[in-house]
Amino acid sequence: MTARIIDGKVLAADLRGKVTDAVHRLKRDRGIVPGIAVVLVGEDPASQVYVRTKSYMVASSGMHAYDHKLPATTSEAELLALIDKLNTDPAVNGILVQLPLPRKIDPHKVIAAIDPAKDVDGFHPLNVGWLATGFPSLVPCTPLACIMLAKTVHASFDNMEAVVIGRSNIVGKPVAQLLLAENATVTIAHSRTADLPGLCRRADLLIAAAGRPAMVRGDWIKPGATVIDVGINRVPGEAGKTKIVGDVAFDEAKAVAGAITPVPGGVGPMTIACLLLNTLRAACAQNGLPAPNF
Ligand code: NAP
């Protein structure tokens, strides 16, 4: 068997196109232009790249991106004051604070200070609680991306056994909650899980979010299973360069799985498209309009 490749680039472009159309309609019919504030503290090179890409994609979809680049010397009080200002700014529908923050700033305090209605990352405790209790909420972008990618293969997750490797608040836990809400039978694995390969072999849907390069081998995968690889790991490549690989040994897995996301080009691009979707949803909700149904 050779797995079908779930092309995150193509699917993300399609979702961005739908968001762009909806943004244009919102502007034309209601005079509303959704806006997102993207806050970066410090000069972490990876974060700078992420923020630049996010702001570019936001602007390309017709929304406003308000960049706030703050020096690494910014105090927690100064960052909280900015969040306060953004919370009350009617032009700002979404607030994204790029993580990680410098060590002297408590990320929990900062996330909790964001208006939950503008929390397009879905990390605020209220959004986390609403997701866990089954209420509509802003859902973290990467988990949402995983579900949307898996849905291109499965019309329903009823009767499916899903295994999620990883229990982080950013990926593992929320993706498990989303799968549960979609009627999958879910197991969350982590670094203390016994017989991880045996557990994974039971999965009709395997979501790998451990941050361990090529950890999931071909013989961990149930024949025909759908594999969503969240991992982004930088490893040595050719000619002294580095390359990005996922948590799944792709070539081995491709020979066993029914469908699989590549890295790069799978969950990553879809995550950014989901950020645009969340910003659009937040703008609609804040203006008393129904959420777009895609
Ligand atoms: P994280 O906070 O480091 O969490 C990793 C999780 O994996 C932890 O729960 C850990 O278990 C578990 N784990 C680690 N080693 C394991 C092992 N050998 N066996 C079983 N479980 C193991 O990472 P994260 O933020 O969730 O991110 C996970 C990966 O996804 C990273 O590669 C990250 O770069 C990537 N990521 C990608 C996107 C995207 O847009 N594509 C977005 C976010 C993250 P314990 O809890 O027991 O320590």
Side-chain angles (χ1 to χ4, degrees), residues 4-8 11 142-158 160-164 175 178-179 182 184 204-207 224-230 258-261 266-267 270 274:
R4 161 181 157 193
I5 307 300
I6 305 171
D7 191 334
L11 294 161
T142 300
L144 183 58
C146 293
I147 300 296
M148 292 181 110
L149 293 169
K151 276 188 172 175
T152 64
V153 183
H154 304 280
S156 151
F157 300 129
D158 289 16
M160 284 179 68
E161 189 154 353
V163 170
V164 177
V175 85
L178 287 170
L179 288 167
E182 296 272 356
D204 306 300
L205 173 59
L206 180 61
I207 303 207
T226 297
V227 179
I228 307 291
D229 189 352
V230 184
I260 187 168
T261 58
V267 176
M270 200 62 178
C274 285

